[in-house]
Amino acid sequence: MKTHLKQIMLMLTLVFTFASCSSDNDDNGSGNASRDVKYEITGNYTGKTSVTFFEKGGNAVNEDLTKLPWTKEFTAEAKSLGATLSASGYGGSAGQTLTGKIYVGGKLENELTVTANSEGIIVLSLTPYVFPL
């Protein structure tokens, strides 16, 4: 009985291993190979805000956000590994919002809406998008 149970467990492990590996590598061109990036921040937040993002060469850049909506578009260079966006601010009012979006190749890849806390502080941090290899 123990031998049969071990064989079944081994068989299931192999099946799951091959299934997960094949789904990881089965791209068939369906991934977003574009390097055209667009960042967008919208909302009604009125406090002093700064935004940090990866620019076309993959370096992090920090800018003051002077008005909403804010957008930045570029084509990422080959050395750039991905795209990310974050913003933070103070001096706004409780309940005000910011929404950040990352588009790659015209497709929305990540979006997040956040709300200012009772002290008018807001933090927006999107999960980075990693370009396919």
Side-chain angles (χ1 to χ4, degrees), residues 82-98:
T84 191
L85 177 66
S86 64
S88 60
Y90 64 92
S93 298
Q96 290 180 327
T97 63
L98 286 178

Side-chain angles (χ1 to χ4, degrees), residues 11-132:
M11 195 78 121
L12 286 174
T13 302
L14 290 173
V15 168
F16 285 124
T17 301
F18 285 117
S20 65
C21 288
S22 66
S23 67
D24 286 347
N25 296 330
D26 193 14
D27 187 353
N28 293 335
S30 63
N32 193 350
S34 175
R35 290 186 162 263
D36 294 332
V37 175
K38 178 182 176 184
Y39 299 125
E40 180 180 278
I41 297 178
T42 58
N44 62 357
Y45 189 72
T46 57
K48 186 171 175 87
T49 312
S50 65
V51 59
T52 304
F53 57 92
F54 286 169
E55 49 86 49
K56 67 181 180 176
N59 300 306
V61 174
N62 188 42
E63 270 184 22
D64 288 335
L65 205 71
T66 56
K67 67 177 184 164
L68 293 173
W70 173 88
T71 60
K72 183 72 69 174
E73 294 184 60
F74 58 89
T75 299
E77 297 172 1
K79 65 182 178 180
S80 179
L81 300 177
T84 191
L85 177 66
S86 64
S88 60
Y90 64 92
S93 298
Q96 290 180 327
T97 63
L98 286 178
T99 298
K101 297 179 182 179
I102 299 174
Y103 295 89
V104 178
K107 179 182 174 204
L108 179 63
E109 294 292 347
N110 201 351
E111 176 179 12
L112 178 65
T113 299
V114 295
T115 304
N117 67 14
S118 61
E119 296 176 2
I121 297 171
I122 199 162
V123 177
L124 170 75
S125 185
L126 278 77
T127 304
Y129 173 83
V130 179
F131 294 123

